[in-house]
Amino acid sequence: MTRILFWIALIVLVVVAVRAKIRALTPKDTGAANRPAREPAQVESMARCAHCGVYFPASEAVHADGLDYCSPAHVRLPKQ
Ligand SMILES: [Zn+2]
């Protein structure tokens, strides 16, 4: 039984020593220094509804008669 405890203690000591050595050799992470620069936020162009004048993302625009509308309902209504 003491032989098993001896080997378990020896293995634990070796693991702790190896981890401490690896930690000592690893360069200190200073946080932002090693991280890649943050990508700029995607900018989406805006469109103005020909009926109500609300600005909304151009990708959501409803196109009709060469104009942009915020919704299909405003396509049917007259321009203001
Ligand atoms: Zn609208």
Side-chain angles (χ1 to χ4, degrees):
M1 184 67 188
T2 52
R3 228 181 232 180
I4 293 172
L5 288 176
F6 168 77
W7 283 109
I8 290 172
L10 183 67
I11 290 169
V12 168
L13 282 174
V14 168
V15 168
V16 168
V18 168
R19 288 181 69 179
K21 188 72 176 175
I22 289 172
R23 197 171 294 152
L25 292 177
T26 305
K28 297 279 185 256
D29 185 15
T30 56
N34 292 336
R35 284 191 209 126
R38 181 183 267 183
E39 290 186 20
Q42 296 292 321
V43 177
E44 185 172 2
S45 61
M46 302 295 278
R48 186 173 185 265
C49 179
H51 175 73
C52 65
V54 166
Y55 286 91
F56 52 92
S59 62
E60 299 175 10
V62 179
H63 302 283
D65 302 328
L67 298 171
D68 293 330
Y69 296 90
C70 66
S71 64
H74 283 183
V75 173
R76 292 189 294 270
L77 296 171
K79 292 193 279 188
Q80 288 182 337

